[in-house]
Amino acid sequence: MARIGYARVSTTDQDVEAQIARLTSEGCEIVRAEKISGASRDGRAELATIITFLRPGDELMVTRLDRLGRDTRDVLNIIHECEQRGASVTVLDPHVSMRGEMGHVVLTVLGMVAQMERRFIKERQREGIERAKAEGVYKGGRPRLDHHAIRQMQAAGRSVVEIAIDLGCSRMQVYRVLKLERQAVSSKLVDVMPL
């Protein structure tokens, strides 16, 4: 039987260390962490690894329920998969264990609240953007990556992996920027070519 911690933050500028410290202090022998959105399970390799290696009697611990996911269905599916392997899930804040029947009810309600909260945040954000656009002060989100630098590095013969390491981002982000660049170039060519 092992206690395994899972820590997650959504963006690269957030710090996962506080979660790791808390999980370690609660007796987790192994703590896996990743920086990725919890909106879906796509690309969450560390969580998938934990679930794959859970054994009967193991306990998966998270500091808060939204670290497992932002979608109630995803969270319930994760918990179900853990239980299918004979493991349990414990949330530290508020402290809820899946070992008892009441834990299922509480976690379902907490998952629904977390999902509803996420929707409210997105709605308030959307309303704020619309207001700012109407007032003429909305500038749009700032690009997280320097697209020009990525193009220059690629032109200089750097690989996607090297670019990602240099810029401290994922390979997927570099691929997306390069894809956008290719699309922009091809649309310019279509505009220039006579019919």
Side-chain angles (χ1 to χ4, degrees), residues 23-56:
L23 292 165
T24 303
S25 73
E26 292 289 334
C28 291
E29 297 121 43
I30 300 166
V31 178
R32 304 291 294 239
E34 56 193 344
K35 295 186 177 188
I36 189 166
S37 171
S40 80
R41 289 179 67 176
D42 296 339
R44 295 171 64 192
E46 295 296 335
L47 178 62
T49 299
I50 290 171
I51 293 171
T52 300
F53 289 100
L54 283 174
R55 297 167 300 181

Side-chain angles (χ1 to χ4, degrees), residues 113-126:
V113 168
Q115 184 173 338
M116 199 167 61
E117 178 185 22
R118 184 167 185 267
R119 286 187 183 144
F120 288 155
I121 289 168
K122 284 183 158 285
E123 183 60 33
R124 284 194 302 267
Q125 181 183 30
R126 193 170 28 257

Side-chain angles (χ1 to χ4, degrees), residues 59-115:
E59 182 180 16
L60 171 59
M61 296 184 87
V62 292
T63 55
R64 292 194 332 256
L65 187 61
D66 64 356
R67 300 304 86 200
L68 275 183
R70 296 281 190 174
D71 181 78
T72 306
R73 185 177 294 128
D74 279 347
V75 170
L76 294 176
N77 286 340
I78 290 166
I79 292 167
H80 179 72
E81 287 175 41
C82 293
E83 289 176 335
Q84 292 293 99
R85 295 180 170 278
S88 64
V89 176
T90 299
V91 179
L92 298 176
D93 187 20
H95 194 278
V96 181
S97 174
M98 291 304 300
R99 287 200 176 111
E101 192 57 41
M102 201 59 196
H104 282 274
V105 174
V106 172
L107 279 180
T108 302
V109 171
L110 286 174
M112 290 167 47
V113 168
Q115 184 173 338

Side-chain angles (χ1 to χ4, degrees), residues 10-28:
S10 296
T11 61
T12 54
D13 57 343
Q14 292 177 313
D15 188 16
V16 76
E17 294 305 318
Q19 290 178 54
I20 293 171
R22 174 88 192 273
L23 292 165
T24 303
S25 73
E26 292 289 334
C28 291

